[in-house]
Amino acid sequence: MPSVQVSWARSADAHEGLLETLDPVERARYTATVDPAGRNRFLVGCALSRRLLGERLGVPPEDVPLRRVCPTCGGPHGKPRLAVPAGYDFSVTHSGDVVGVAVCRGAEVGLDVEEAGTALDVDAAARTALSARESAVLHSLPPDERGPAFLRIWTRKEAVLKALGVGLRAPLRDLEVSGPDAAPAVLTWPDALADHPRTTLTDLTVDGAHPAALAVTAGDGRVA
């Protein structure tokens, strides 16, 4: 049975000492990030990932071997993974000042969080990201409930895509998940995705406000 740990931090937790744990690729990306808030989120996400993985591998955070390879262009910006076979997968997410890391043993994991109260054109976002059935569920709600409902659906979708390591390249409207008031589940997979693994979805809420979702996919049918 896969086991999962989810840990949360704040971008305000960033400090210069954390830079010592980053590898050259991470330092270069940190330096190239112009927005100070973005730099802090990236730094905290890297440092927290390395600390959690280092605890499991029995090595210092700076010695955790990571690789980032984009499946499309081969650049160093794909989903970060361990560069050695250790049986662990992890996922990093951030929104606003919230940073989260999920570490899973025995399955692939995806984690997503969204900032509560985000200014959002729900109708435009729904046209881009939701299936006809998802849009119908969303628009059956009172207007003041649609923003939070959309974010709940969105976090579920993005968590699944992050677990698969495909990000937003997949056709979003073809990945259908259950409505915000229903138990989280994947209802329909895009035909473009070759892998349709057994997936467990869990809704989370950070600080009682920020919606988040955790997806665990296990090819052998096990669920977490």
Side-chain angles (χ1 to χ4, degrees), residues 17 23 49 51 57 76 78 92 103 106 109 140 147 149 158 163 172 181 185 199:
D23 64 21
S49 301
R51 180 176 67 80
L57 300 177
V92 184
V103 177
V109 66
S140 71
E158 187 159 4
L172 293 172
D181 294 329
T199 301

Side-chain angles (χ1 to χ4, degrees), residues 3 11 37 40 49 52 58 68 102 113-114 123 126 134 142 146 148 166-167 185 188 190-192 209:
S3 61
S11 58
N40 287 341
S49 301
L52 295 174
R68 293 172 172 82
V113 67
E114 299 296 333
D123 290 338
E134 289 169 333
R146 292 174 190 169
V166 298
T188 304
D191 292 336

Side-chain angles (χ1 to χ4, degrees), residues 164-191:
L164 295 176
V166 298
L168 300 182
R169 297 188 308 279
L172 293 172
R173 297 180 64 187
D174 294 340
L175 174 65
E176 190 173 68
V177 299
S178 51
D181 294 329
V186 178
L187 303 181
T188 304
W189 290 95
D191 292 336

Side-chain angles (χ1 to χ4, degrees), residues 84-177:
V84 295
Y88 290 102
D89 188 43
F90 71 104
S91 180
V92 184
T93 186
H94 51 72
S95 184
D97 66 341
V98 176
V99 181
V101 176
V103 177
C104 180
R105 183 172 187 177
E108 304 296 305
V109 66
L111 179 67
D112 185 58
V113 67
E114 299 296 333
E115 186 175 17
T118 300
L120 181 67
D121 184 337
V122 174
D123 290 338
R127 286 193 295 271
T128 300
L130 303 190
S131 69
R133 178 163 52 174
E134 289 169 333
S135 291
V137 171
L138 181 71
H139 287 94
S140 71
L141 299 172
D144 61 340
E145 296 181 15
R146 292 174 190 169
F150 175 84
L151 291 179
R152 177 56 69 194
I153 296 172
W154 175 257
T155 57
R156 293 177 181 178
K157 287 199 180 200
E158 187 159 4
V160 172
L161 295 175
K162 291 174 75 171
L164 295 176
V166 298
L168 300 182
R169 297 188 308 279
L172 293 172
R173 297 180 64 187
D174 294 340
L175 174 65
E176 190 173 68
V177 299

